[in-house]
Amino acid sequence: MSYKAPVKDLLFNIQHLAGIDQIAQLPGFEDAGLDTAQAVLEECARFNEDVIAPLNAVGDTQPSSWKDGEVTTTPGFKEAYRQYAEGGWQGLQHEPAYGGQGLPKTIGAACQEILNSANLSFALCPLLTDGAIEALVTAGSDDLKAIYLEKLVSGQWTGTMNLTEPQAGSDLALVRSRAERQPDGTYKVFGTKIFITYGEHDMAENIVHLVLARVQGAPEGVKGISLFVVPKFLVNADGALGARNDVHCVSIEHKLGIKASPTAVLQFGDGTAATDVNGTGPGAVGYLVGEENQGLKYMFIMMNAARYAVGVQGVAVSERAYQLAAAYAKERVQSRPVDGSVKGSATIIHHPDVRRMLMTMRALIEGTRATAITAAAAYDAAHKHPDAEVRAQNQAFYEFMVPLVKGYSTEISQEVTALGVQVHGGMGFIEETGAAQHYRDCKILTIYEGTTAIQANDLVGRKTARDGGNVAKAIAAQIEKTESALRAAGGEPAEAVARELGKARQAFLEVVEFMVANSAENPNAAYAGSVPYLMLAGNLVAGWNLGRALLVAKEQLAAGEDKAFLAAKITTAHFYAEHILPRTAALRDAVLHGAHSVTELPLEAF
Amino acid sequence: MSYKAPVKDLLFNIQHLAGIDQIAQLPGFEDAGLDTAQAVLEECARFNEDVIAPLNAVGDTQPSSWKDGEVTTTPGFKEAYRQYAEGGWQGLQHEPAYGGQGLPKTIGAACQEILNSANLSFALCPLLTDGAIEALVTAGSDDLKAIYLEKLVSGQWTGTMNLTEPQAGSDLALVRSRAERQPDGTYKVFGTKIFITYGEHDMAENIVHLVLARVQGAPEGVKGISLFVVPKFLVNADGALGARNDVHCVSIEHKLGIKASPTAVLQFGDGTAATDVNGTGPGAVGYLVGEENQGLKYMFIMMNAARYAVGVQGVAVSERAYQLAAAYAKERVQSRPVDGSVKGSATIIHHPDVRRMLMTMRALIEGTRATAITAAAAYDAAHKHPDAEVRAQNQAFYEFMVPLVKGYSTEISQEVTALGVQVHGGMGFIEETGAAQHYRDCKILTIYEGTTAIQANDLVGRKTARDGGNVAKAIAAQIEKTESALRAAGGEPAEAVARELGKARQAFLEVVEFMVANSAENPNAAYAGSVPYLMLAGNLVAGWNLGRALLVAKEQLAAGEDKAFLAAKITTAHFYAEHILPRTAALRDAVLHGAHSVTELPLEAF
């Protein structure tokens, strides 16, 4: 079953919810109006539908493989990546100064969704490169920028994030990799990194590893972590590739999903091969990014870009699973509809429970998509708006959204892909059907770049408690305005959405108060409820954005435009309000009931 | 990580919630008291922990394989099955007349859970044999009983259920396999069956297929389906194995999970091999079970036994996933607890969100286990109680429970196993960790033996609407009594459980009214809410049973018994009430909001 990019819905979001016209008024985005968005998305759709999407199943059955330190990617990936780079897709959102196209994130995010729907495993390579670029743009020296940025932005080289070590996952305080200062100002890096996505592969000439390590004498914990560029091949003064660096891929993992994406164990300075790349003894040659001991700050630049992008992956894999399930439901004939609307056996989409599953998938996808693209618009305003106060407001909004985009979109991808299997019945359990791949692939999304709990802790601590819940309450106030507009618009769907949004918003505000009151005084109570809070907030914001979409659709319908699409938008918002928003009550209760029954059991009882 | 059977919790359920003392007063169960239960469970635990459980991961990496029509099961399975049969485990619940031990289902269900926790794939073979035995006991002729039952009960031969065909899954009206009457009273069966669990394997001498097919001239639809015994090898008059029958395994499936369990495509009467097994031309020799055209009724006997058993599989795989996750959480060191209770990094079980995940898993497991064992007790009373009215009441209760045991326990297994992966963080995504296998394995449980929607339709139609909601309301009345008892017992946990049970019960009653009012008049509205209704009812009943457990635990604690275990029981019930029962409100809303937004979109909008 081939993938068809939802260009129409993406453009609806870009135009009406993200407000591309306003974005095109920001300095630097003058050419990035709706026409540009449409042209870019259509080209993006064509390329991904034709070139990248067909490789998705191939990657599952013929994963990337390791031999003698080399990784051979899935057949077809190398050539597809060449086309990806040549098409300029890597540079879409990056600065023209480095060869990028400088488009807004609002458009870039839509392209990211399409790429990830086409092929989650493939898309990870550019995703990591984006993070490396952001870190270098923000914190790299002019020399590093000159040497690396253009090649990364063009896609000629790729980037990685090297954080995790066997004993240091979420807890970067435990990082042990070390870096030794060299007389020439470079460093020698030693250590083992695990879970390095595209840490080794054959799709690009060079791989630019961004690596967390401790300089000798650095403080313990996260305050003693520095960030280094460690290229696979050193780069000569003329920009040509030089010696092979002392970083080697020891193995790749055997994973539940995203099997085409090689997950590498990297050994820096293993002393067994190419140990003396520049005549100064063993160790991987590394170049400090920014200042010593500030590595965590820089890493968060990459991480935050990546967190948002992983959220988009959640939307993307859900969309792909939905398309597969909807197609099957329209084709598979089985049983008579309960309402007698068809004599004899009908396609299963006639059965109310199949419809419920498809509507649930669809509503969750459209809701999380709207949240992601709306957040991207805030990012663009936060970076480009001439008014500092507007920038700050948008930045605060965006930062509040990141854990929701990452956490909620990826959690719902687990539900959506499971429903995707379920719609297929027994066929869903057969690997050749393809539904199971999405169910397997998506399971990493709630884990990497910070688990849902890590996102939720960020939401509770930095995004809610730190400002006394101000940003949260400001968002609730915006939601309340949407409720008023919905009531004013009238009609059953709009009124239902207003009613359910109101209940969910109240639940949200109760939880915000709880978090503000408890996060310092009674941290267990707050953090035992952090994930329910995240799920509540993500659910509410998605519902809100669908409410906004409903308002637009209603207005345009009245103007006689694109009837079927707009009517479906209204029904989907209505469904979301009636069937998904009510979940917020249970999430509120779970938070407000507190931590007692969560944490009471002694450890030995488990 | 090795599996440890939860014998103590199972016995607690058997003793206090199922009331084994009353069961031991039923005719035929005189020897089946608590001592017997304990002895059987301990032996069952030992056997499964030592012999069956270690083969679970092996089966995932070395699935059963097909070559030239023969299936070779996972290394170790054949020998383990020999021990299983020799240990008499297949006959546990079956009648002594056929060599069984005649133990109550209450005990048998606990053993089933242990076997399935040890190895879902392995356990499927006995599970299907159980179904074949039940069908033959109920509907087989004396001849068929004499020839097959003892061998099946001893485990010497195994059984299968042959329902599904490529075009006929949930919709058995579409079955096309045909049976031709032979002059000697036998039939020749022709057709293709798919998804036949253990349809071919090397663990037993013979395989007894129970096959749905149409006799020539039979009515269309489900009224023309007959049930046949089609043995892999014909059985001579002296009981020895005779000619190879004309049923052949064409292939086995490549599945998401339960990979050791061979899922066969069977060709009956393919005419390419052994086509003339008894000198009467091609076709598989089959023996009619009961009467012609009554096949569906008999098949439901097998199916109902299997549905209950699949529900137990849901509990079982959840328990296994929980044990793995809890062990990891107590071992993996990462980050400092938010409450400062440990200086420096601690095992992750100290983090409130990890605790929330483990408590969620635990509460769902203990709740669904309690429901399953309580239902088993009703089954025992329904079959053995001397008073017809008591039998009828228990039968009605059991029948109401079956879709909940099947539907809710398997749906929650998806949540529990996903949490199991999540607790492991990045390691959860690595196949060698083992958490991912449970996540993959469990996905079939909501599908086979009737999807969750099929269970839910059964709950709405046959179990709720047909009697005007009487059984449902009788259960609600029982729950209300438990609430009173909890309030009388007092203390925060008991009061919280009473309060949340009360809310959930009200939600349940509203939904029952809705179903009774709508299932005939407005079937789309009812059936669009069938799965939410099932999830609500399953959630409520599990919470109720944990409330009953809390009452027992409180009483025994006061008597100074087994403090840690009983205190944990109370906390788990408390957690369930505060964090799981509130989900019922959203489920009620989803039902009561009705089908409009579920079914409004035109087909072409999907």
Side-chain angles (χ1 to χ4, degrees):
Chain A
M1 147 84 203
S2 56
Y3 163 69
K4 189 95 184 62
V7 172
K8 193 168 199 164
D9 195 48
L10 287 164
L11 284 173
F12 177 91
N13 277 279
I14 287 173
Q15 183 178 5
H16 299 297
L17 303 190
I20 191 73
D21 290 349
Q22 279 85 58
I23 291 168
Q25 285 168 19
L26 297 172
F29 289 156
E30 292 82 358
D31 298 331
L34 185 61
D35 291 349
T36 301
Q38 179 157 2
V40 170
L41 259 63
E42 281 170 1
E43 181 56 22
C44 182
R46 194 203 55 72
F47 172 67
N48 283 291
E49 288 167 3
D50 294 351
V51 178
I52 308 295
L55 296 172
N56 193 48
V58 182
D60 197 51
T61 50
Q62 299 178 62
S64 291
S65 60
W66 179 96
K67 197 181 171 204
D68 299 334
E70 308 278 326
V71 169
T72 305
T73 51
T74 291
F77 267 40
K78 195 171 171 173
E79 168 58 19
Y81 183 78
R82 192 187 58 73
Q83 292 185 50
Y84 177 85
E86 284 178 8
W89 294 108
Q90 186 72 55
L92 211 65
Q93 291 177 59
H94 298 296
E95 296 180 26
Y98 306 115
Q101 298 171 52
L103 287 174
K105 191 179 185 81
T106 303
I107 298 175
C111 294
Q112 255 175 347
E113 184 195 310
I114 294 173
L115 176 66
N116 277 287
S117 285
N119 199 322
L120 221 50
S121 282
F122 180 90
L124 276 166
C125 189
L127 190 160
L128 272 299
T129 302
D130 278 339
I133 293 169
E134 287 221 36
L136 286 174
V137 166
T138 317
S141 66
D142 290 345
D143 267 6
L144 286 179
K145 286 179 180 168
I147 298 168
Y148 292 100
L149 274 174
E150 219 169 293
K151 295 280 175 53
L152 287 168
V153 169
S154 72
Q156 198 173 340
W157 299 349
T158 69
T160 71
M161 283 167 65
N162 285 245
L163 290 75
T164 306
E165 300 177 7
Q167 78 295 345
S170 305
D171 189 359
L172 293 173
L174 301 178
V175 160
R176 281 189 208 139
S177 291
R178 63 194 167 82
E180 294 177 3
R181 284 187 208 94
Q182 303 297 303
D184 65 352
T186 66
Y187 292 73
K188 284 291 177 75
V189 177
F190 300 86
T192 304
K193 293 286 181 180
I194 64 168
F195 295 166
I196 308 309
T197 300
Y198 280 94
E200 178 58 37
H201 64 84
D202 58 0
M203 295 175 355
E205 295 165 12
N206 202 4
I207 302 173
V208 183
H209 302 295
L210 283 143
V211 184
L212 289 187
R214 296 180 184 284
V215 179
Q216 66 267 49
E220 291 207 353
V222 293
K223 288 177 182 160
I225 295 175
S226 303
L227 181 65
F228 299 89
V229 164
V230 180
K232 176 177 171 184
F233 289 99
L234 299 186
V235 183
N236 295 335
D238 62 356
L241 294 186
R244 180 74 165 79
N245 207 348
D246 191 9
V247 47
H248 293 92
C249 177
V250 179
S251 61
I252 62 174
E253 306 290 353
H254 170 223
K255 307 191 301 291
L256 172 61
I258 54 163
K259 296 187 182 188
S261 162
T263 303
V265 177
L266 291 184
Q267 184 65 43
F268 293 83
D270 68 353
T272 58
T275 52
D276 193 2
V277 290
N278 59 358
T280 56
V285 178
Y287 309 95
L288 184 67
V289 177
E291 293 170 28
E292 281 186 6
N293 301 332
Q294 300 294 312
L296 204 72
K297 191 171 74 186
Y298 311 139
M299 193 49 96
F300 263 107
I301 297 166
M302 286 197 262
M303 187 70 116
N304 277 329
R307 283 180 176 179
Y308 176 89
V310 172
V312 172
Q313 292 195 302
V315 183
V317 69
S318 299
E319 171 69 27
R320 186 85 187 253
Y322 168 77
Q323 291 191 14
L324 191 67
Y328 186 79
K330 288 195 271 190
E331 169 194 303
R332 170 72 169 170
V333 172
Q334 203 76 177
S335 298
R336 201 182 289 206
V338 285
D339 63 1
S341 57
V342 177
K343 262 188 108 66
S345 299
T347 51
I348 61 172
I349 198 169
H350 285 86
H351 303 312
D353 185 70
V354 171
R355 205 64 84 85
R356 181 188 61 79
M357 291 194 278
L358 291 175
M359 285 303 297
T360 302
M361 298 169 82
R362 181 184 180 107
L364 289 170
I365 292 163
E366 291 192 18
T368 50
R369 173 182 293 141
T371 298
I373 293 186
T374 310
Y379 176 95
D380 289 327
H383 282 71
K384 302 278 188 176
H385 202 281
D387 183 332
E389 199 178 318
V390 176
R391 284 203 303 277
Q393 273 172 3
N394 278 283
Q395 183 64 26
F397 179 86
Y398 178 71
E399 287 187 2
F400 195 90
M401 288 297 134
V402 169
L404 308 190
V405 171
K406 199 313 186 165
Y408 186 64
S409 307
T410 62
E411 288 288 340
I412 69 98
S413 77
Q414 329 256 298
E415 176 176 356
V416 171
T417 59
L419 288 172
V421 174
Q422 191 73 16
V423 167
H424 285 82
M427 288 305 295
F429 202 64
I430 307 301
E431 284 288 2
E432 286 75 6
T433 305
Q437 184 186 348
H438 305 311
Y439 176 75
R440 288 186 288 98
D441 283 354
C442 80
K443 194 69 203 77
I444 193 59
L445 303 181
T446 57
I447 295 171
Y448 65 15
E449 308 303 344
T451 62
T452 305
I454 298 280
Q455 310 304 321
N457 291 355
D458 177 50
L459 180 67
V460 169
R462 278 182 289 272
K463 310 294 169 66
T464 303
R466 196 156 64 181
D467 73 350
N470 280 341
V471 171
K473 288 175 204 163
I475 292 169
Q478 287 185 267
I479 295 173
E480 199 172 0
K481 281 188 194 154
T482 302
E483 292 163 31
S484 303
L486 285 160
R487 273 191 298 269
E492 164 54 16
E495 281 159 20
V497 177
R499 184 180 64 239
E500 297 298 330
L501 270 181
K503 287 194 256 176
R505 174 176 51 78
Q506 281 301 339
F508 172 72
L509 286 170
E510 287 176 63
V511 168
V512 168
E513 289 299 347
F514 181 88
M515 290 300 172
V516 171
N518 284 287
S519 76
E521 295 290 308
N522 189 4
N524 277 339
Y527 289 95
S530 65
V531 169
Y533 171 36
L534 181 150
M535 294 300 288
L536 193 171
N539 188 333
L540 169 65
V541 170
W544 170 40
N545 282 313
L546 289 182
R548 295 175 59 218
L550 185 153
L551 287 169
V552 173
K554 211 168 149 70
E555 203 175 288
Q556 296 206 309
L557 253 186
E561 290 178 47
D562 205 356
K563 198 159 172 313
F565 175 80
L566 297 169
K569 207 76 197 156
I570 291 172
T571 299
T572 304
H574 190 188
F575 177 89
Y576 193 101
E578 290 192 331
H579 295 266
I580 312 290
L581 275 175
R583 296 178 184 180
T584 52
L587 295 163
R588 174 204 51 211
D589 288 356
V591 175
L592 301 187
H593 286 143
H596 187 69
S597 65
V598 179
T599 55
E600 186 181 35
L601 271 198
L603 297 193
E604 56 279 12
F606 287 92
Chain B
M1 150 81 203
S2 56
Y3 163 68
K4 189 93 185 62
V7 172
K8 192 169 199 163
D9 195 48
L10 287 164
L11 285 173
F12 177 91
N13 277 280
I14 288 173
Q15 183 178 5
H16 299 296
L17 303 189
I20 191 73
D21 289 350
Q22 278 86 59
I23 292 168
Q25 286 168 18
L26 298 171
F29 288 157
E30 292 82 358
D31 297 331
L34 184 61
D35 290 349
T36 301
Q38 178 157 3
V40 170
L41 260 63
E42 281 170 2
E43 181 56 21
C44 182
R46 194 203 54 71
F47 172 67
N48 283 290
E49 289 167 4
D50 295 352
V51 178
I52 308 295
L55 295 172
N56 193 48
V58 182
D60 197 51
T61 51
Q62 299 177 62
S64 291
S65 59
W66 180 95
K67 197 181 169 204
D68 298 334
E70 308 279 325
V71 169
T72 306
T73 51
T74 292
F77 267 41
K78 194 171 171 174
E79 167 58 19
Y81 183 78
R82 194 188 55 74
Q83 291 185 50
Y84 177 84
E86 284 179 9
W89 295 108
Q90 185 73 53
L92 210 64
Q93 291 178 59
H94 297 297
E95 295 178 27
Y98 306 114
Q101 297 170 52
L103 287 173
K105 191 179 186 81
T106 304
I107 297 175
C111 292
Q112 254 175 347
E113 184 195 312
I114 294 173
L115 176 65
N116 277 287
S117 285
N119 199 321
L120 221 50
S121 283
F122 180 90
L124 275 165
C125 190
L127 190 159
L128 272 300
T129 303
D130 278 338
I133 293 169
E134 287 221 35
L136 286 175
V137 166
T138 317
S141 65
D142 288 345
D143 267 6
L144 286 179
K145 286 180 181 168
I147 297 169
Y148 292 101
L149 275 174
E150 218 169 296
K151 295 281 175 54
L152 286 168
V153 169
S154 72
Q156 198 174 340
W157 299 349
T158 69
T160 71
M161 283 168 66
N162 285 246
L163 290 74
T164 305
E165 299 178 8
Q167 78 294 343
S170 305
D171 189 358
L172 293 173
L174 302 177
V175 160
R176 282 188 208 142
S177 290
R178 64 194 167 81
E180 295 176 1
R181 284 187 208 94
Q182 303 297 303
D184 65 351
T186 66
Y187 293 74
K188 284 292 178 76
V189 177
F190 300 86
T192 304
K193 294 286 181 179
I194 64 168
F195 295 166
I196 309 309
T197 300
Y198 280 94
E200 177 57 38
H201 64 84
D202 58 359
M203 296 177 352
E205 294 166 12
N206 203 5
I207 302 174
V208 182
H209 303 295
L210 282 143
V211 184
L212 288 187
R214 296 180 185 285
V215 178
Q216 66 267 49
E220 290 206 356
V222 293
K223 288 178 183 159
I225 295 175
S226 303
L227 180 66
F228 299 89
V229 165
V230 181
K232 176 178 172 185
F233 289 100
L234 300 185
V235 184
N236 295 334
D238 62 355
L241 295 186
R244 180 75 167 79
N245 207 349
D246 190 9
V247 48
H248 293 92
C249 177
V250 178
S251 62
I252 62 173
E253 307 290 352
H254 170 223
K255 308 192 301 291
L256 171 62
I258 54 163
K259 296 187 181 185
S261 162
T263 303
V265 177
L266 292 184
Q267 184 65 43
F268 293 82
D270 67 354
T272 59
T275 51
D276 194 2
V277 290
N278 59 0
T280 56
V285 178
Y287 309 94
L288 183 68
V289 177
E291 293 170 29
E292 282 187 6
N293 301 331
Q294 300 295 312
L296 204 73
K297 191 172 75 184
Y298 311 139
M299 193 49 96
F300 264 108
I301 297 165
M302 287 197 263
M303 187 71 116
N304 277 328
R307 285 180 175 178
Y308 176 89
V310 171
V312 172
Q313 291 194 303
V315 183
V317 68
S318 299
E319 170 70 27
R320 187 84 188 252
Y322 168 77
Q323 291 192 14
L324 191 65
Y328 186 78
K330 288 195 271 190
E331 170 194 301
R332 170 72 169 170
V333 172
Q334 203 76 176
S335 299
R336 201 183 290 204
V338 285
D339 64 1
S341 59
V342 176
K343 262 186 109 66
S345 299
T347 50
I348 61 172
I349 197 168
H350 285 86
H351 303 313
D353 185 70
V354 171
R355 205 65 83 85
R356 182 187 62 78
M357 291 195 278
L358 291 175
M359 285 303 298
T360 302
M361 298 169 83
R362 181 186 179 107
L364 289 170
I365 293 163
E366 291 191 18
T368 50
R369 174 182 293 140
T371 298
I373 294 185
T374 310
Y379 176 95
D380 289 327
H383 282 72
K384 301 279 187 176
H385 201 281
D387 182 332
E389 199 179 317
V390 176
R391 283 203 303 276
Q393 274 173 2
N394 277 283
Q395 182 65 24
F397 180 86
Y398 177 72
E399 286 187 2
F400 195 89
M401 288 297 133
V402 169
L404 308 190
V405 170
K406 192 335 182 153
Y408 186 63
S409 307
T410 63
E411 288 288 340
I412 70 97
S413 78
Q414 328 256 299
E415 176 176 356
V416 171
T417 58
L419 288 172
V421 174
Q422 190 73 16
V423 167
H424 285 83
M427 288 305 295
F429 202 64
I430 307 300
E431 284 288 4
E432 286 76 4
T433 304
Q437 184 187 348
H438 305 312
Y439 176 75
R440 289 187 286 98
D441 283 354
C442 79
K443 194 69 204 76
I444 193 60
L445 303 181
T446 56
I447 296 171
Y448 64 16
E449 308 303 341
T451 63
T452 304
I454 298 280
Q455 309 305 319
N457 291 355
D458 177 51
L459 180 67
V460 169
R462 278 183 289 272
K463 310 295 169 66
T464 302
R466 196 156 64 181
D467 72 351
N470 280 341
V471 170
K473 289 176 203 163
I475 292 170
Q478 285 185 268
I479 294 173
E480 199 172 0
K481 281 189 195 153
T482 302
E483 292 164 31
S484 303
L486 284 160
R487 273 192 298 271
E492 164 54 16
E495 281 159 20
V497 176
R499 185 179 63 239
E500 299 298 330
L501 269 181
K503 288 194 255 175
R505 175 176 50 78
Q506 280 302 340
F508 172 73
L509 286 170
E510 287 176 64
V511 168
V512 167
E513 288 300 347
F514 180 88
M515 290 300 171
V516 171
N518 285 286
S519 75
E521 295 291 307
N522 188 3
N524 277 339
Y527 289 94
S530 65
V531 168
Y533 170 36
L534 181 149
M535 293 300 288
L536 193 172
N539 188 333
L540 170 64
V541 170
W544 170 41
N545 282 313
L546 289 181
R548 295 174 61 216
L550 185 152
L551 286 169
V552 173
K554 210 168 148 70
E555 201 175 290
Q556 296 206 310
L557 252 186
E561 290 178 47
D562 205 355
K563 199 160 172 312
F565 175 80
L566 296 169
K569 208 74 198 159
I570 292 172
T571 299
T572 303
H574 190 188
F575 177 89
Y576 193 100
E578 290 192 332
H579 295 266
I580 312 291
L581 275 175
R583 297 178 184 180
T584 52
L587 296 163
R588 174 204 50 209
D589 288 356
V591 174
L592 299 188
H593 286 142
H596 187 70
S597 65
V598 180
T599 56
E600 185 181 35
L601 271 198
L603 297 193
E604 57 277 14
F606 287 91

